[in-house]
Amino acid sequence: MLEPEPGGGVVAAERGRGGSGRVRAGRAWVEGAFRPVEVVFENGVIVGLESPTTASRKATIVPDDAVLLPGLVDSHVHVNEPGRTEWEGFRSATLAAAAGGVTTIVDMPLNSVPATTTPGALTIKKSAAAPSAFIDVGFWGGAVPENLGQLAPLHEAGVYGFKCFLAPSGVDEFGHLDRTQLAAAMEEIAAIGSRLIVHAEDPALLHEPPAESHGALGRGYDAFLASRPPASEASAIEAVIAEARRTGARAHILHLSDAGSLPVIRAAKAEGVALTVETCPHYLTIVAEEIPDGAAEFKCCPPIREASNRDLLWAGVVDGTIDAIVSDHSPSTVDLKRSGGGDFGLAWGGIAGLQVGLSAVWTEARSRGIPIETILPLYTTGPARVAGLDGVGAIEVGAPAHLTVFGLDDPYPIDARALLHKNPITAYDHRLLAGRVRRTWLRGRAIFNVTEGGAGEAPRFRATPKGRLLSARTLAAADGLG
């Protein structure tokens, strides 16, 4: 039996078959509700859901002040390995994920080098991940101008779909699609039965800094926010919906920040367009009015918007318009985030938050009187459906024994230096969150276990990577999108 190291931390066993055992909880998330259950698993697979009894059975007991959840799914993570491993990497990213209750991620095709736009690049990415992943990892491919018309081999190689940008991505090796290329990509996606996931900003409506400023916008957040207005998102989202309607292709809107686009998304879904949409913890928990001058750790694209916009995004969560809440974990080195002395035009964009997403969103939800039952599908079955992942995000017979224990009232003071992300910079630094992951199992074996220790203490770990690389040979037939 695995034991945590003093002070809490990551623990793991050897690769091989999954674990066998029982976990008993008074409140387990099963079939969309909390109920008492004893989860029985053999060789890493759930084989039974029994009513808890007082009989003498060897089971791990979940305390009454915590809940048992399926392992979370995050379908939007930038691991950046190989090529920019100093920004993150499969070891650090998947350790951080495990500490956040996440047992499955789907890796974005950038900012690694090479970008995942060819079968050969996917092979290189898998070779980097295989010896280092502590949790299960799938991969998105990229749709860029150079590989349009050649997506089928990458689809057959096992990517879960294709990401494109409609505005410059920020890295030269991953070009963006214009409207004609978007139409061509959608046609190709429809033909091969994949899905297109879209960074939706219209470059014609972005307000770039003047040439003489060399990209500088200044240290004030307002100038950066004004440079990427809601109209840019709205225009791009409407274009994606139009092409999805025309072609029948499955489309997904990444990291929605503009709540003003929710009505057109609702209408498209009601019409039967094969469309899903995600938002991120930073859009649901942080507001523009609170971002200090020069605090480039808050820079991301599309940007964090005003409090009134956040309220409307929450309405989209509550009414079911938003399908998933995902991290868009997009880290970089501290130097890149601080480049330009806090100038929002010069600093690298991206929020690091893979380890703390559920805690951050639960903290905000609780303050709004929103029950955790409302957000749990968006962290489990929602992102699994977005990616077409089978058999994850649920506690059910036949599913892998991916489980996590979440202490709903546990105080969680965030210290960027204590997180397992590779670089100690995050927009959540110094926040006091409510709710913390206490333990995570992957296929029935403990990979994270935190005990009582000093507040904010960095976990120590002794671990062997044992995640699997997932391949989407075919998309789930019953994901509700035609």
Side-chain angles (χ1 to χ4, degrees):
M1 182 174 178
L2 296 172
E3 299 292 341
E5 291 195 358
V10 175
V11 295
E14 73 284 351
R15 287 182 183 269
R17 294 190 305 171
S20 299
R22 294 172 175 263
V23 177
R24 185 185 307 166
R27 290 181 293 169
W29 184 249
V30 178
E31 296 181 341
F34 283 116
R35 66 180 178 92
V37 75
E38 189 162 298
V39 182
V40 185
F41 47 92
E42 295 178 0
N43 296 324
V45 177
I46 297 173
V47 297
L49 299 176
E50 300 179 0
S51 297
T53 68
T54 57
S56 177
R57 288 178 173 173
K58 186 176 181 180
T60 298
I61 308 298
V62 176
D64 290 341
D65 63 345
V67 294
L68 181 67
L69 308 177
L72 309 182
V73 180
D74 193 333
S75 55
H76 192 153
V77 178
H78 294 264
V79 177
N80 304 331
E81 186 179 5
R84 292 190 175 98
T85 310
E86 69 274 16
W87 295 14
E88 193 60 274
F90 284 101
R91 178 179 175 81
S92 54
T94 56
L95 282 173
V102 177
T103 53
T104 306
I105 64 171
V106 188
D107 173 62
M108 284 291 163
L110 73 164
N111 297 300
S112 56
V113 180
T116 315
T117 56
T118 66
L122 177 62
T123 298
I124 292 170
K125 177 73 72 77
K126 287 183 174 181
S127 296
S132 303
F134 287 82
I135 64 169
D136 289 352
V137 180
F139 303 92
W140 295 110
V144 295
E146 294 80 8
N147 71 352
L148 293 185
Q150 305 170 56
L151 300 181
L154 190 50
H155 171 64
E156 292 299 323
V159 297
Y160 281 84
F162 295 86
K163 178 177 184 176
C164 74
F165 279 73
L166 301 186
S169 71
V171 292
D172 292 339
E173 66 272 7
F174 202 95
H176 68 286
L177 305 184
D178 62 25
R179 294 297 173 89
T180 299
Q181 291 165 334
L182 171 65
M186 283 285 204
E187 291 170 0
E188 189 174 1
I189 291 292
I192 64 177
S194 188
R195 49 174 45 81
L196 190 69
I197 64 173
V198 185
H199 181 122
E201 290 184 287
D202 184 341
L205 297 175
L206 298 177
H207 305 314
E208 298 294 341
E212 60 270 19
S213 75
H214 303 289
L217 280 170
R219 289 171 49 84
Y221 186 75
D222 287 349
F224 171 66
L225 183 60
S227 75
R228 306 188 88 94
S232 176
E233 270 191 274
S235 174
I237 288 169
E238 289 172 2
V240 171
I241 291 171
E243 290 301 332
R245 179 187 295 115
R246 180 181 69 85
T247 63
R250 304 173 187 215
H252 176 69
I253 303 300
L254 295 165
H255 44 47
L256 179 72
S257 81
D258 170 35
S261 291
L262 286 170
V264 71
I265 292 169
R266 290 189 186 101
K269 287 185 166 194
E271 179 189 340
V273 176
L275 182 71
T276 51
V277 61
E278 70 186 37
T279 194
C280 305
H282 40 279
Y283 300 130
L284 294 171
T285 64
I286 304 171
V287 293
E289 294 91 335
E290 298 173 355
I291 296 177
D293 289 351
E297 61 268 29
F298 293 93
K299 178 183 176 180
C300 59
C301 300
I304 295 167
R305 303 194 188 278
E306 298 85 354
S308 58
N309 182 80
R310 179 179 65 175
D311 292 342
L312 292 174
L313 285 177
W314 271 105
V317 167
V318 171
D319 72 15
T321 303
I322 293 172
D323 299 277
I325 302 173
V326 294
S327 67
D328 186 12
H329 180 67
S330 186
S332 71
T333 63
V334 175
D335 286 347
L336 278 174
K337 289 298 286 184
R338 298 296 189 202
S339 60
D343 186 295
F344 279 95
L346 300 176
W348 181 259
I351 303 290
L354 178 56
Q355 186 172 333
V356 301
L358 178 60
S359 297
V361 171
W362 167 232
T363 302
E364 182 68 25
R366 189 167 72 167
S367 74
R368 292 169 176 267
I370 297 171
I372 195 167
E373 290 89 336
T374 298
I375 62 174
L376 285 179
L378 283 75
Y379 272 97
T380 54
T381 51
R385 176 172 172 262
V386 162
L389 286 158
D390 281 325
V392 296
I395 298 175
E396 60 187 18
V397 173
H402 298 344
L403 304 168
T404 192
V405 175
F406 188 65
L408 292 167
D409 299 316
D410 293 2
Y412 191 8
I414 303 303
D415 179 347
R417 298 166 299 175
L419 297 176
L420 295 173
H421 307 154
K422 179 167 286 188
N423 287 284
I425 184 166
T426 176
Y428 301 100
D429 200 15
H430 306 305
R431 289 186 170 237
L432 177 60
L433 304 180
R436 184 172 187 177
V437 169
R438 297 182 185 177
R439 188 168 188 174
T440 303
W441 291 265
L442 185 79
R443 279 182 291 281
R445 294 188 182 276
I447 56 172
F448 179 78
N449 200 340
V450 64
T451 60
E452 295 298 326
E457 181 180 348
R460 296 189 295 271
F461 55 88
R462 52 179 174 83
T464 300
K466 58 180 180 174
R468 295 179 181 174
L469 305 188
L470 306 177
S471 181
R473 296 297 179 187
T474 58
L475 293 175
D479 66 359
L481 290 177

